[in-house]
Amino acid sequence: KNRLKQLFTNYFILTTNPKFLRYIENIDFMRISTIHKFAREIIKETSMQMGLGDNFAITSGDYVKGQIYEKYLNDFIAKKESENPNFINEIKLPLYQFRRMLVEFSNQLYNKSIDIKKIQEDELGHAPVLMPFFNEIIMDVMIAAEKEYEDKIQESNKIDLRETMIMLNDVINQEQEKIHLEYKYIFIDEFQDTDDTQIDSFLRIQQLIGRKCNLFVVGDLKQSIYRFRGATISAFKRLNATMDSWEEHTINTNYRTDSRLLKIMDEIFRRLGTRNWLPYTYDSDHLISNLNKGLEEEELFQCIPYHGKNNEQLKILVELLKQEKEKILRLEKVRKLSEEEKTIAILVKENWQIDTIVRGCKELNREIEIETKVGGDLYQLESTIDFCKLLLALTNSDDPVYLVNFIESNYVAVDLNYQGLQNCDKKKQTEILTAILDEYFKVKMDKTWHSLVVYVQTNPVLVVLKNIFESLQPWHTYSEDTEKQRFYKSNYELLIEKIIKAYSVDYLTLTVIINSIQINILTKQQELARSVNKDETGIRYLCTTVHKAKGLEYGTVILPYTGQAIDNLVKAITDVNYTDSKLAYLIKVDENKKDCNSNYNSQEEIGQRVCEEARVLYVALTRAMRNCIWMKDVDKKSNMSWSSFLEG
């Protein structure tokens, strides 16, 4: 909104046309948010019809859900053991791990906006051979637990974040006279990342409003990399299946990347398109640019070979970082570079690779500080989550769930005896947890937990929270690394600054702060985190996943681990899909084996994953502004990998 206001202010200054002043006023009537936050607002407007009060809250009650799952799983095991005393041995995983897998199973469906509670028994296919009772578990444990969980949170006037899109779909499919929506335009960005339920919801909203509502979507199928969240490669086809007429416009001008680098990438993308791994044709998809970032031809796109030992890859990576830094210093003598151009990004697919690179490079060269947090993360940072846990504990001081979450945060970080807690009623649990907090706060702030709660309620809220933060020093628990401690503190301060900017300090309360932060966390509101890892030259080293890098740009992109096989299902602990009224799933049945139901097509799934990996590689390569380097393991002979994509 601020950028739009500034744009129209500039237009008005240049033209003195009063229409731009009207545009500035109209911006305040625009609703700009994530899809989930938009859904929540519509649900709120119709909350009375849904049986919710207008002050309902959104939650992600993993702890409560886990307890309910445990109850139903124990009942199921007891029933089976009455029929077969050896039944417990047929579940070859530890029970805590098995229960976690069941929750993850249902969450995968909710992430794709599919309601497991509505799935029928005849949609399950034949159960896996190695776990023939698993369909019974879906019906008797998962679905039963999900129904009780929904009833439980609705009694507390809450809805689960994962069910927001499902509930939105229910709302807008009610009788039309109950829904009053007035939008002249609906714009959806990153449309390729929407799932079928989200698309159907927006089409239905437009249908309810009528011809005066215009739908405008922007997206790139080549960047569809959220299949695990339900996004499909057929998003735009779903629009064309409607009776409406759609205008299509193609944008192929690239405003960030060296034109010579784009030509090299185009050859790779065309090869992938020819094999039907990437939705790419030269006529409509090739990118053009008029930029030259100043490097020599041979520096634009490089393959760096190494032998399979991880330590060798790390040694070469450290040298590459030094070399790229020298290039940036050389280029800046000619012209001033932007912050993005002075960023060297190491892009990977999995989080464990980030940890390996950051730790390994630090051991090899103490002077190299690799940042692991990227823009858009403020409300997902540990400093923000910890702060939210503190606020929730202060306002729910007799609720053991919130107390446990707070004690586990970096503010307290005390080990808990969960076995002892589980055998107590809620009142006794609260007494035990309060005693732990009393002992802790007596040492840290010379107060009991109860007196601290009273103290917060009777004093200026920001002053008290600042006092708690400085007394407990959660950054020390978060990390022993001074740079990471600075990062934690810096983004806590950024959070407070945003709260002060958004609300009048005179009217700030704990409730106002909690509502603001919790909604932003749960709806994954995108907000740039504050970076602290820059040296005196302003050059940054960043290591992050391709998914987090999407939409961003970096001067140099380095791709390690390109030899990993992408055409197998080894890493899938649980894989769940629901299409054409059929539930297809793959599950882990013991530490070394996986099995699937009869609806699950392994070869089709592998084919889908290969295509998605081609799209992930496309996103990774197109983050580069100036040059790209990929590291090739010459000892790895995988038939299908990023290396094979890049080599052709």
Side-chain angles (χ1 to χ4, degrees):
K1 285 189 176 184
N2 290 335
R3 289 170 66 186
L4 283 171
K5 285 180 178 178
Q6 186 59 58
L7 179 74
F8 291 130
T9 299
N10 294 344
Y11 284 175
F12 175 72
I13 292 169
L14 287 169
T15 67
T16 69
N17 190 327
K19 74 175 182 181
F20 294 118
L21 293 179
R22 292 196 299 274
Y23 291 168
I24 293 168
E25 290 174 2
N26 287 339
I27 288 168
D28 288 326
F29 296 102
M30 295 171 67
R31 177 181 285 177
I32 304 178
S33 71
T34 61
I35 286 179
H36 279 85
K37 198 167 184 179
F38 173 78
R40 178 186 179 275
E41 292 302 316
I42 293 182
I43 294 168
K44 187 175 181 180
E45 290 167 13
T46 58
S47 57
M48 300 307 289
Q49 290 96 325
M50 298 299 295
L52 294 164
D54 59 4
N55 62 339
F56 73 89
I58 285 184
T59 184
S60 59
D62 292 338
Y63 179 79
V64 174
K65 182 183 279 193
Q67 286 185 314
I68 296 172
Y69 266 74
E70 187 165 349
K71 179 185 75 171
Y72 278 96
L73 180 59
N74 289 341
D75 290 346
F76 180 83
I77 292 170
K79 182 185 82 171
K80 284 293 186 180
E81 284 188 322
S82 68
E83 303 166 3
N84 172 16
N86 192 45
F87 175 75
I88 191 66
N89 294 321
E90 293 184 22
I91 300 177
K92 297 179 176 61
L93 294 170
L95 277 184
Y96 76 91
Q97 194 175 339
F98 188 68
R99 176 176 61 79
R100 194 182 301 155
M101 185 186 78
L102 300 184
V103 176
E104 171 61 21
F105 187 105
S106 67
N107 285 346
Q108 280 196 24
L109 290 171
Y110 284 128
N111 288 341
K112 299 172 182 179
S113 302
I114 296 163
D115 189 351
I116 189 174
K117 298 186 295 297
K118 296 178 181 176
I119 290 174
Q120 303 298 310
E121 191 169 1
D122 60 3
E123 298 174 328
L124 303 182
H126 297 299
V129 174
L130 298 177
M131 205 172 275
F133 51 84
F134 199 80
N135 281 356
E136 290 180 73
I137 283 183
I138 293 174
M139 300 304 299
D140 298 347
V141 178
M142 284 191 251
I143 292 179
E146 289 292 339
K147 287 179 177 176
E148 181 172 325
Y149 171 68
E150 182 179 51
D151 291 341
K152 196 176 186 72
I153 64 169
Q154 284 196 358
E155 284 172 12
S156 306
N157 203 31
K158 295 176 181 176
I159 61 173
D160 194 288
L161 172 70
R162 298 178 189 91
E163 297 196 54
T164 308
M165 292 310 304
I166 295 168
M167 187 166 283
L168 173 66
N169 221 357
D170 291 342
V171 166
I172 60 178
N173 281 299
Q174 291 181 358
E175 292 300 316
Q176 184 167 343
E177 60 267 17
K178 294 182 181 179
I179 310 297
H180 300 287
L181 301 172
E182 292 185 8
Y183 296 105
K184 192 172 181 181
Y185 300 97
I186 298 175
F187 295 81
I188 307 172
D189 194 15
E190 302 289 1
F191 187 71
Q192 76 281 348
D193 296 335
T194 53
D195 61 46
D196 289 351
T197 301
Q198 291 169 345
I199 296 170
D200 291 346
S201 295
F202 283 108
L203 290 173
R204 177 64 176 154
I205 287 170
Q206 186 191 30
Q207 186 183 32
L208 288 174
I209 299 171
R211 298 181 67 84
K212 60 183 179 181
C213 175
N214 298 281
L215 189 57
F216 181 94
V217 304
V218 180
D220 180 2
L221 288 179
K222 300 183 295 300
Q223 298 190 52
S224 178
I225 61 172
Y226 287 100
R227 186 166 165 265
F228 64 91
R229 288 203 315 229
T232 68
I233 200 72
S234 60
F236 288 93
K237 288 181 181 177
R238 204 168 184 86
L239 295 183
N240 285 323
T242 67
M243 297 295 291
D244 302 293
S245 59
W246 291 87
E247 290 184 19
E248 283 190 36
H249 303 272
T250 301
I251 304 170
N252 66 347
T253 302
N254 178 300
Y255 295 96
R256 63 165 167 256
T257 306
D258 190 303
S259 60
R260 299 167 299 163
L261 180 57
L262 286 177
K263 285 181 181 177
I264 296 170
M265 290 181 184
D266 178 66
E267 293 178 15
I268 297 168
F269 301 151
R270 273 200 271 178
R271 284 201 306 268
L272 296 176
T274 302
R275 302 291 296 271
N276 293 320
W277 290 331
L278 187 71
Y280 189 93
T281 59
Y282 180 79
D283 291 340
S284 60
D285 292 298
H286 83 285
L287 298 171
I288 58 173
S289 165
N290 59 3
L291 300 175
N292 185 312
K293 295 291 183 176
L295 290 184
E296 299 298 323
E297 292 277 349
E298 63 273 12
E299 297 176 303
L300 295 171
F301 196 82
Q302 295 173 280
C303 171
I304 306 297
Y306 72 95
H307 290 282
K309 292 181 180 177
N310 190 54
N311 202 43
E312 182 176 343
Q313 181 177 216
L314 291 172
K315 284 179 182 176
I316 293 172
L317 182 56
V318 167
E319 290 306 310
L320 282 174
L321 293 176
K322 290 180 188 175
Q323 291 170 21
E324 292 307 307
K325 181 176 181 177
E326 290 303 313
K327 286 180 189 175
I328 293 172
L329 293 174
R330 184 185 84 211
L331 291 169
E332 196 154 48
K333 290 178 180 177
V334 180
R335 66 178 179 88
K336 184 172 176 58
L337 302 181
S338 67
E339 183 178 328
E340 290 80 10
E341 288 176 295
K342 292 166 76 169
T343 300
I344 302 166
I346 307 161
L347 301 185
V348 298
K349 290 186 285 185
E350 299 179 47
N351 286 322
W352 70 264
Q353 295 167 338
I354 297 176
D355 295 335
T356 301
I357 286 170
V358 172
R359 193 165 48 247
C361 290
K362 188 79 171 176
E363 288 172 1
L364 291 168
N365 189 323
R366 300 292 297 176
E367 294 180 6
I368 290 180
E369 290 286 351
I370 299 179
E371 183 182 339
T372 59
K373 300 295 181 183
V374 72
D377 269 340
L378 177 63
Y379 291 109
Q380 305 306 315
L381 295 182
E382 209 159 329
S383 52
T384 304
I385 304 297
D386 284 342
F387 185 53
C388 188
K389 288 177 180 178
L390 164 65
L391 297 172
L392 288 168
L394 289 170
T395 50
N396 300 272
S397 57
D398 59 350
D399 190 321
V401 173
Y402 293 111
L403 296 184
V404 165
N405 286 338
F406 177 49
I407 289 170
E408 288 182 334
S409 76
N410 288 305
Y411 280 85
V412 182
V414 171
D415 291 330
L416 288 173
N417 177 8
Y418 289 101
Q419 199 64 41
L421 281 172
Q422 286 177 347
N423 297 327
C424 302
D425 59 25
K426 183 176 178 180
K427 184 178 178 183
K428 186 62 178 176
Q429 287 176 341
T430 303
E431 288 176 6
I432 293 170
L433 296 169
T434 301
I436 292 170
L437 289 170
D438 282 344
E439 185 178 345
Y440 182 77
F441 279 97
K442 269 289 184 184
V443 174
K444 293 289 186 179
M445 297 184 70
D446 196 29
K447 294 179 185 294
T448 64
W449 173 241
H450 176 72
S451 64
L452 179 68
V453 172
V454 174
Y455 177 57
V456 172
Q457 294 169 348
T458 55
N459 287 275
V461 63
L462 289 180
V463 174
V464 176
L465 293 174
K466 183 174 186 291
N467 190 8
I468 294 172
F469 185 75
E470 291 176 351
S471 299
L472 304 189
Q473 299 185 355
W475 59 88
H476 286 302
T477 311
Y478 171 66
S479 178
E480 294 179 0
D481 187 299
T482 55
E483 288 299 319
K484 289 182 179 178
Q485 289 176 358
R486 284 176 57 217
F487 183 81
Y488 187 101
K489 287 193 285 186
S490 177
N491 281 288
Y492 168 82
E493 289 162 3
L494 176 60
L495 195 65
I496 299 299
E497 288 169 19
K498 289 192 173 294
I499 291 168
I500 293 171
K501 189 175 180 180
Y503 302 97
S504 169
V505 177
D506 296 334
Y507 298 102
L508 260 184
T509 64
L510 275 180
T511 304
V512 169
I513 298 173
I514 288 170
N515 287 342
S516 171
I517 292 176
Q518 201 174 16
I519 290 301
N520 285 327
I521 290 172
L522 291 172
T523 58
K524 292 181 167 55
Q525 194 70 14
Q526 292 292 299
E527 196 73 56
L528 286 173
R530 182 172 281 166
S531 172
V532 295
N533 289 2
K534 295 179 190 173
D535 61 16
E536 68 281 356
T537 65
I539 295 171
R540 292 169 67 204
Y541 302 122
L542 170 70
C543 186
T544 189
T545 61
V546 179
H547 285 81
K548 283 192 175 182
K550 190 167 178 285
L552 302 174
E553 55 192 42
Y554 312 107
T556 298
V557 165
I558 300 176
L559 303 177
Y561 299 109
T562 59
Q564 278 193 307
I566 58 176
D567 56 347
N568 62 56
L569 300 173
V570 171
K571 291 182 180 175
I573 296 172
T574 307
D575 188 40
V576 191
N577 294 295
Y578 181 79
T579 52
D580 301 325
S581 298
K582 289 183 180 180
L583 182 71
Y585 62 85
L586 173 83
I587 55 171
K588 185 175 183 179
V589 293
D590 64 27
E591 291 300 332
N592 302 306
K593 292 179 184 175
K594 298 175 181 66
D595 201 358
C596 60
N597 71 338
S598 59
N599 292 336
Y600 191 89
N601 187 324
S602 297
Q603 286 307 117
E604 182 182 331
E605 176 60 26
I606 289 171
Q608 292 279 0
R609 290 189 182 200
V610 169
C611 291
E612 184 172 35
E613 286 291 338
R615 300 193 296 271
V616 174
L617 178 61
Y618 178 90
V619 171
L621 293 176
T622 53
R623 298 312 93 202
M625 304 172 74
R626 181 177 52 248
N627 64 318
C628 183
I629 301 167
W630 64 281
M631 304 182 72
K632 177 185 176 182
D633 181 352
V634 294
D635 297 330
K636 208 159 228 177
K637 303 300 180 187
S638 171
N639 291 328
M640 193 64 69
S641 65
W642 279 12
S643 285
S644 61
F645 285 164
L646 291 164
E647 289 182 316

